[in-house]
Amino acid sequence: MGSPRFRAEHSDKSLESYSFDSGHPPILDSASATDASTDPPPDGGTLAWLQVAASFFVFMNTWGIVNTFGAYQNFYEVNILRSHSPSAISWIGSVQGFLLLLVGALTGPLFDAGHIRTLVGVGSLLVVLSMVATSLVEQYYHAFLAQGVCFGIGAGMLFVPSVAVVSTYFDEHRSFAVGVAASGSSLGGVIYPIMFHQLQPRIGFGWATRVIGLIVSVTLAFSNLVVRQRVLPTTRRKLFDISALREVPFILCTAALFFGFVGIYTPFFYITPYALFETGASRTLAFYLVPILNAGSVFGRLVPNAFADRIGAINTLIPSTLACALLGLAWPAVRSTGSLVTFAVLYGFFSGSFVSLPPSAHASLSSDLSKIGTRLGMSFSIAGIGLLIGSPVGGALLNLSTGHFIRAQVFCGAALMVSFALLVLTRVVHSGSAVMIKV
């Protein structure tokens, strides 16, 4: 029996207006990029996959660093910032993610206007400077400004352009290409915490952070060298695309991302102390649960995204979000070391899908890819508010002195369940209740 075939949604035909001859010369300037907007995406080739590689390293050094904050949080709680509450410390990591997404509201139109090299260059510089400044942290406000604000602004300048440029080079294989790029954040979330954990006792906090900063600078230099913008609109884009606010699926999808980001990172911030209190895990194993989460998300950014190219990004995002919600609600019942490791692998896998699929989801909902940078920026800036408040609220709901985590765990699962419901509604409004439609 053959696998069921999903019927392409009518709106996908709008992508046919972008034609690209596989023999077209590399796009090196704004003029050629503007001409390419009349051709379909190449859907492969050396130049296209170089953009995926550039985006991979951007993800590695933006979301990968955000995913690493759990390691810094654990260090701060018992060392430099031990006089501050877990909730207060988690604000640093939340501000990282919030600014990363919020700044996208500004960088989206700048990307659409053809300024990708400026965005990637200045963003890279700010990210590297933030790592250097973080290595000198002695007080809370030092960490907040360096690791939270400076890094968040720099990462925000990098993030939306790197996602948007990949989307313009691929059509049929867009979700897989974005998934490959997004897996860079998981790799960063694996290697950076391990590096910090291994180097900090040997060479100190400052030098451990500087070594990470060196890797960040080298890999971002590669992205700066190879990134090329393919599609430019013929007119200037405004800060907001007003037409998007009249599209109910866009609004519903953005609301779904908001609630999803409220809950999605709670395990990344608090699984280590939970393991110490509830499972009797060693301190070393408890620390490695964060890299295990991120390792699981590597496959969660590749496997579901490959399916998304066949059945649609929204169709793939819905069950992944439901799985995250159910795992979050089941988290309080996980009380042994083995089951918690299993939880970390599964949650990492499905959360990887939730983080990597939204760009493709918005592309499938958008009727004009030349506006995708602006729309991604608009959506991610709202989602960033959810990320900003989610982890600190989770930190306020738990009590590390008594080991009481259940309120934070239920909060995580409930927020993701709301996100799931809104994604289902997005699909119904956009495509109706028919099951076999690719969207």
Side-chain angles (χ1 to χ4, degrees):
M1 246 176 123
S3 60
R5 295 187 176 272
F6 280 73
R7 178 166 55 87
E9 185 65 1
H10 173 73
S11 62
D12 287 346
K13 294 184 179 181
S14 64
L15 302 180
E16 292 176 2
S17 61
Y18 297 90
S19 81
F20 189 101
D21 179 358
S22 61
H24 196 283
I27 295 165
L28 301 177
D29 53 39
S30 297
S32 57
T34 304
D35 294 340
S37 66
T38 62
D39 302 330
D43 225 20
T46 302
L47 183 60
W49 286 108
L50 277 174
Q51 307 316 300
V52 174
S55 184
F56 176 92
F57 287 121
V58 168
F59 268 96
M60 176 177 166
N61 296 308
T62 53
W63 284 111
I65 298 292
V66 172
N67 291 344
T68 301
F69 186 75
Y72 279 89
Q73 167 121 4
N74 295 327
F75 175 81
Y76 287 151
E77 285 174 358
V78 297
N79 289 281
I80 300 174
L81 305 180
R82 58 184 175 274
S83 61
H84 297 270
S85 69
S87 180
I89 296 172
S90 70
W91 275 106
I92 301 170
S94 292
V95 167
Q96 280 185 333
F98 168 66
L99 288 176
L100 193 160
L101 294 176
L102 177 64
V103 173
L106 301 175
T107 61
L110 290 174
F111 167 82
D112 288 339
H115 301 299
I116 187 171
R117 284 192 168 277
T118 301
L119 289 170
V120 174
V122 175
S124 299
L125 178 62
L126 288 175
V127 166
V128 173
L129 286 176
S130 76
M131 298 304 297
V132 175
T134 299
S135 71
L136 304 174
V137 162
E138 293 181 350
Q139 298 183 44
Y140 180 84
Y141 79 90
H142 295 165
F144 187 88
L145 292 175
Q147 200 168 6
V149 177
C150 183
F151 176 85
I153 293 173
M157 297 181 73
L158 290 166
F159 174 57
V160 168
S162 70
V163 175
V165 74
V166 172
S167 296
T168 62
Y169 275 87
F170 291 86
D171 184 359
E172 183 180 352
H173 302 296
R174 181 188 297 123
S175 293
F176 179 72
V178 172
V180 172
S183 66
S185 66
S186 300
L187 179 63
V190 172
I191 65 172
Y192 288 148
I194 293 175
M195 286 180 61
F196 181 79
H197 182 70
Q198 294 294 326
L199 293 176
Q200 186 275 322
R202 300 177 184 178
I203 62 177
F205 169 82
W207 278 107
T209 302
R210 290 179 199 119
V211 170
I212 293 175
L214 177 61
I215 295 175
V216 169
S217 63
V218 171
T219 50
L220 285 181
F222 172 83
S223 297
N224 278 269
L225 288 173
V226 304
V227 69
R228 296 289 187 275
Q229 189 158 1
R230 179 181 167 271
V231 174
L232 284 178
T234 56
T235 59
R236 283 178 179 261
R237 297 299 172 202
K238 297 180 180 179
L239 182 60
F240 290 100
D241 176 19
I242 301 299
S243 64
L245 301 180
R246 294 191 290 268
E247 297 180 14
V248 177
F250 173 84
I251 295 173
L252 290 172
C253 187
T254 298
L257 295 182
F258 169 83
F259 283 101
F261 277 109
V262 165
I264 197 75
Y265 277 99
T266 300
F268 287 84
F269 278 50
Y270 302 114
I271 193 171
T272 293
Y274 180 80
L276 293 173
F277 273 100
E278 295 291 341
T279 69
S282 67
R283 184 165 293 276
T284 299
L285 177 58
F287 167 82
Y288 277 102
L289 286 171
V290 174
I292 289 172
L293 275 168
N294 286 306
S297 71
V298 171
F299 300 98
R301 295 165 197 263
L302 295 175
V303 178
N305 284 58
F307 279 103
D309 285 325
R310 292 178 59 86
I311 67 175
I314 295 289
N315 290 337
T316 309
L317 189 58
I318 288 172
S320 296
T321 307
L322 175 61
C324 285
L326 295 176
L327 285 167
L329 294 173
W331 186 10
V334 179
R335 296 185 177 275
S336 69
T337 301
S339 59
L340 189 59
V341 171
T342 302
F343 167 86
V345 172
L346 291 175
Y347 190 88
F349 179 87
F350 290 110
S351 65
S353 304
F354 181 86
V355 172
S356 62
L357 283 171
S360 298
H362 273 301
S364 69
L365 297 175
S366 177
S367 58
D368 186 354
L369 275 183
S370 70
K371 299 179 181 179
I372 190 64
T374 299
R375 291 195 172 198
L376 285 176
M378 291 170 62
S379 181
F380 287 155
S381 64
I382 300 300
I385 299 174
L387 182 56
L388 175 68
I389 65 176
S391 296
V393 170
L397 290 174
L398 58 82
N399 189 326
L400 287 183
S401 62
T402 62
H404 188 74
F405 291 86
I406 190 168
R407 291 182 299 178
Q409 293 164 324
V410 172
F411 171 75
C412 165
L416 287 164
M417 192 62 74
V418 173
S419 178
F420 159 73
L422 287 169
L423 285 171
V424 171
L425 193 57
T426 299
R427 189 193 186 284
V428 171
V429 170
H430 183 266
S431 305
S433 58
V435 175
M436 305 302 288
I437 291 179
K438 179 181 178 180
V439 58

